[in-house]
Amino acid sequence: MKVTVDQDRCCGSGQCVLTAPAVFDQSEDDGLVRLLDPTPGPADHAAVRLATALCPGGAITLPDQPDQPAPTTA
């Protein structure tokens, strides 16, 4: 699994950090997502998929997961 984040789309809600803290963090300066592990292991895959689905800004993408829903614009 490969994970990418788009900080321009991030709204700083922190859902990713709460859902997959081994993979995501938030910057203390602006609250935006920081990707800790761009290729998480199988133990984190379910949490990363959930974090992707919960992200209100659609800032998280899984480029190697074709069945991922397209991000919505707010």
Side-chain angles (χ1 to χ4, degrees):
M1 169 180 276
K2 182 177 177 184
V3 182
T4 61
V5 295
D6 181 348
Q7 289 189 333
D8 291 335
R9 294 185 67 119
C10 180
C11 65
S13 75
Q15 294 301 308
C16 56
V17 179
L18 294 172
T19 306
V23 179
F24 304 103
D25 196 4
Q26 279 181 287
S27 168
E28 290 186 25
D29 294 331
D30 56 13
L32 298 180
V33 64
R34 287 185 11 202
L35 184 58
L36 300 176
D37 186 356
T39 56
D44 292 312
H45 288 187
V48 170
R49 284 188 192 99
L50 180 57
T52 302
L54 292 174
C55 180
I60 304 167
T61 55
L62 308 174
D64 59 355
Q65 303 290 311
D67 58 341
Q68 161 185 333
T72 57
T73 56

